[in-house]
Amino acid sequence: MEGVAHRTVEVNGIKMHIAEKGEGPVVLFLHGFPELWYSWRHQILTLSSRGYHAIAPDLRGYGDTEAPASVSSYTCLHIVGDIVALIDLLGVDQVFLVAHDWGAIIGWYLCMFRPHRVKAYVCLSVPFRHRNPKVKPLDAMRALYGDDYYVCRFQKPDEMEAQMAEVGTEYVLKNILTTRKPGPPMLPKGKYGSGLNPDMTDSLPSWLSEDDLAYYVSKYEKTGFTGPLNYYRNANSNWELTVPWSGVKVEVPVKFITGELDMVYTSLNIKEYIHGGGFKQDVPNLEEVIVQKDVAHFNNQEAAEEISNYIYEFIKKF
């Protein structure tokens, strides 16, 4: 990662680690689970070489960023608060936003809460989902998928951490990062077992080297999984906190990119929402939807060059 600078900044009462390279308009990258700033390693190099200031933080609870102890410190308001404070610290009015997985969810909240801070948004994997005022998210997930749905299994503090510890950090990270299994991710109760990837092999895919995996493992060995899992544990809290934004549309210009094998894209009703008009109704300035052939969930790493080019082609218009 030649030329990538690292620093720790104070935002919203926590110390946040950021990686950055380049000069020019800011492109802010938000990672997902179970990831780090490092998931954007390819995009940082490409976008910085094309005249942009690429910045990727470790989100609250991840990597070298501080991890508050309480579950209630991981609501969408806390995380978006961190990001707004980071944008303020950078001294810019607006950023180009690029986000994936949980980062994408935080990205949608940022676009809802502070739309004027986002010039354009390239969203990977997780589409906008409008708030259903009648049903709490965890109740909806249980009704759709049952108690073994991974988000439901992540809810009880310490339980999943203990089950992950039984199989080890490297196993968990390799298991999730290499999965190509479509459909809603299920974790049968009692133990981590074969996790989200029953077809896991000893070998790594071409896009994830032993050194890449070792970097993730080194950080998660230090921090554990509690901070990241606490995002999931605030699903219902986020629903309660966002009552004032019920019915709000996202007006920011958006490009959405997903893999055809992505576990989110292939979950119930998601394709219909994305392609059937619902997504465009909620996000009127959705300019393009791209579905990448034979690509799974971690498309920013698996199809890194293609993703970098899609980002550049979109943001250079503004």
Side-chain angles (χ1 to χ4, degrees), residues 56-178:
D58 283 334
L59 294 177
R60 172 181 291 239
Y62 284 87
D64 293 319
T65 290
E66 211 168 315
S70 76
V71 174
S72 60
S73 295
Y74 292 83
T75 72
C76 60
L77 298 185
H78 290 88
I79 317 295
V80 173
D82 298 344
I83 301 307
V84 172
L86 176 59
I87 297 170
D88 288 343
L89 186 102
L90 295 169
V92 296
D93 291 329
Q94 288 188 307
V95 298
F96 291 113
L97 183 66
V98 182
H100 172 259
D101 187 79
W102 251 108
I105 296 170
I106 298 305
W108 290 119
Y109 282 129
L110 177 62
C111 290
M112 276 204 304
F113 300 162
R114 302 294 293 274
H116 61 290
R117 306 307 299 268
V118 181
K119 197 174 289 185
Y121 180 22
V122 178
C123 177
L124 310 185
S125 176
V126 183
F128 181 73
R129 298 299 277 166
H130 60 252
R131 183 182 181 280
N132 182 344
K134 295 177 181 170
V135 186
K136 290 185 176 184
L138 288 174
D139 294 342
M141 290 173 198
R142 284 198 177 93
L144 269 178
Y145 304 123
D147 289 337
D148 287 353
Y149 185 55
Y150 78 112
V151 178
C152 301
R153 287 274 280 110
F154 286 174
Q155 289 306 307
K156 193 174 175 186
D158 301 328
E159 183 179 81
M160 182 50 60
E161 289 92 324
Q163 292 175 11
M164 287 175 163
E166 285 173 10
V167 295
T169 304
E170 182 175 351
Y171 181 93
V172 171
L173 290 167
K174 182 179 175 183
N175 179 264
I176 299 174
L177 290 169
T178 63

Side-chain angles (χ1 to χ4, degrees), residues 22-318:
E23 292 179 9
V26 171
V27 184
L28 181 61
F29 295 94
L30 307 181
H31 67 78
F33 172 86
E35 300 178 83
L36 300 162
W37 74 270
Y38 190 76
S39 296
W40 300 108
R41 57 197 177 278
H42 306 291
Q43 289 76 28
I44 290 170
L45 297 181
T46 301
L47 273 296
S48 63
S49 74
R50 293 180 182 177
Y52 293 92
H53 181 183
I55 300 176
D58 283 334
L59 294 177
R60 172 181 291 239
Y62 284 87
D64 293 319
T65 290
E66 211 168 315
S70 76
V71 174
S72 60
S73 295
Y74 292 83
T75 72
C76 60
L77 298 185
H78 290 88
I79 317 295
V80 173
D82 298 344
I83 301 307
V84 172
L86 176 59
I87 297 170
D88 288 343
L89 186 102
L90 295 169
V92 296
D93 291 329
Q94 288 188 307
V95 298
F96 291 113
L97 183 66
V98 182
H100 172 259
D101 187 79
W102 251 108
I105 296 170
I106 298 305
W108 290 119
Y109 282 129
L110 177 62
C111 290
M112 276 204 304
F113 300 162
R114 302 294 293 274
H116 61 290
R117 306 307 299 268
V118 181
K119 197 174 289 185
Y121 180 22
V122 178
C123 177
L124 310 185
S125 176
V126 183
F128 181 73
R129 298 299 277 166
H130 60 252
R131 183 182 181 280
N132 182 344
K134 295 177 181 170
V135 186
K136 290 185 176 184
L138 288 174
D139 294 342
M141 290 173 198
R142 284 198 177 93
L144 269 178
Y145 304 123
D147 289 337
D148 287 353
Y149 185 55
Y150 78 112
V151 178
C152 301
R153 287 274 280 110
F154 286 174
Q155 289 306 307
K156 193 174 175 186
D158 301 328
E159 183 179 81
M160 182 50 60
E161 289 92 324
Q163 292 175 11
M164 287 175 163
E166 285 173 10
V167 295
T169 304
E170 182 175 351
Y171 181 93
V172 171
L173 290 167
K174 182 179 175 183
N175 179 264
I176 299 174
L177 290 169
T178 63
T179 186
R180 303 182 71 73
K181 188 172 185 285
M186 309 300 276
L187 270 172
K189 281 183 285 296
K191 57 183 182 177
Y192 187 83
S194 58
L196 302 185
N197 185 4
D199 305 316
M200 188 170 91
T201 62
D202 289 338
S203 60
L204 292 172
S206 59
W207 54 267
L208 187 73
S209 71
E210 293 287 353
D211 286 346
D212 294 333
L213 181 61
Y215 184 81
Y216 286 109
V217 171
S218 71
K219 297 301 178 184
Y220 277 88
E221 288 278 13
K222 189 182 78 174
T223 63
F225 288 92
T226 297
L229 291 172
N230 283 343
Y231 284 59
Y232 296 93
R233 291 166 183 159
N234 279 283
N236 280 353
S237 295
N238 290 342
W239 179 84
E240 290 167 8
L241 290 167
T242 53
V243 175
W245 291 273
S246 266
V248 165
K249 295 182 187 298
V250 170
E251 304 287 354
V252 171
V254 173
K255 180 176 193 166
F256 178 76
I257 312 166
T258 187
E260 68 172 354
L261 303 176
D262 186 293
M263 60 182 79
V264 179
Y265 182 64
T266 51
S267 291
L268 284 176
N269 306 324
I270 300 292
K271 287 183 189 178
E272 292 78 2
Y273 172 73
I274 290 172
H275 301 294
F279 195 9
K280 179 73 173 173
Q281 196 172 352
D282 290 336
V283 185
N285 294 314
L286 175 65
E287 295 195 10
E288 193 175 4
V289 170
I290 292 168
V291 180
Q292 297 172 295
K293 191 168 174 53
D294 199 36
V295 172
H297 180 62
F298 297 95
N299 55 345
N300 52 340
Q301 299 183 72
E302 181 182 345
E305 188 177 354
E306 191 177 0
I307 290 291
S308 296
N309 289 332
Y310 280 141
I311 294 165
Y312 176 68
E313 291 303 321
F314 187 57
I315 67 175
K316 74 175 186 181
K317 301 191 296 189
F318 296 92

